[in-house]
Amino acid sequence: MEGYWKGRAMEETIHSKLAKVVKLEKSRKGLSFKRYFSREGSDPLDAVKYARRRSVISEPDGSVVFEMDDVEVPEDWTQLATDIVVSKYFRKAGVPGTGRETSVKQVIHRIAGAIRAFGEEQGYFATPLDAEVFEHELSALLVTQRGAFNSPVWFNCGLYQSYGIKGSGGNWHWDDGRQAPVVLDNNYEHPQCSACFIQRVEDDLMSIFGLVQKEARVFKYGSGTGTNFSRLRSKHEKLAGGGTSSGVMSFLEVFDKGAGATKSGGTTRRAAKMVILDMDHPEIVDFIRWKAKEERKAKILIAAGMESNFNGEAYATVSGQNSNNSVRITDEFMKAYENDAEWKTSERTTGKVHETFKARGLMREIAQAAWECADPGVQ
């Protein structure tokens, strides 16, 4: 019994101490940070050696699409890392004095400084010293390539805070004061830093073309978008006003051309886009075969003498090349596949069965298309 009471006493002491720690943490406001990669009193951006280099991006035929001389990068960065950050992430206009960013130090300073400023504004840090440590640690991680942000952060973060650069309006921002989303007049004041956005579309013509506009807004600032188009009625179904729908695949071709015409973030990279269709949609077979079928056309054009690179005329002529396609598979479909059972597609407007397939036949279609061109993926 003596051991029992000693154990209880020790347990109560531990609980008491834990309660005090919890109470102390609750009373504190903001986060504290320790230094791991930076030193007190020293800017981590000054702690690495730099070199002056030239960056050149060329097409396969040797033509130069981008070049910039006398750029400052850390000495131990590869030429590939140099070309990526200079061609994609250096701001090319509106920078006071030079007109453009010329050093990795400028890029990292505007990003880390802006994130710190947002954090201070929102009360994230326990003390001003913690805010400084945070900025220094983040800068050290970036300049030594221990970590890296997604592209929209490099594109957009800190442009307004560091250089006063203003973007066109139209994007949405959550206003804490109003507790509501508001439309921005200057998109760089609250920059678009998320890499991906999931967007919804309804079975309505205005909703469909409204999504085209929303996608363009997302692409403009270097982010990607994904949408499940399974709500859209198929080409086999009637319209409310009479006639027959042109179908989901016809609209996907419109979105594909829109994405192909867009250069994300003002750079030479393509718009990032995902298209999803459920396995029970009446046009699922056409969707599965879409990209593989179009790539077969491209191969014929290449064999006839057109350029074979992705930016050449052959691929520009065919559709379906500007998105990652995925089929949405349910447990029910997988059970049908395992049991070699049937799978039914259904109309969007009436719910009636449209067509019946062997589940294993559809899975074979997916595997064949993915083998040919890597799409569709499976969700």
Side-chain angles (χ1 to χ4, degrees), residues 102-131:
T102 59
S103 172
V104 167
K105 287 195 286 187
Q106 288 175 287
V107 181
I108 293 175
H109 176 73
R110 72 164 161 85
I111 292 172
I115 295 174
R116 172 188 174 173
F118 282 125
E120 289 180 308
E121 180 184 306
Q122 296 292 322
Y124 273 42
F125 305 112
T127 68
L129 179 59
D130 288 305

Side-chain angles (χ1 to χ4, degrees), residues 159-186:
L159 293 179
Y160 177 71
Q161 288 75 18
S162 291
Y163 309 131
I165 295 172
K166 294 183 178 181
S168 58
N171 275 7
W172 294 86
H173 157 67
W174 179 261
D175 188 299
D176 280 328
R178 300 182 192 178
Q179 285 293 293
V182 296
V183 180
L184 293 166
D185 294 324
N186 167 19

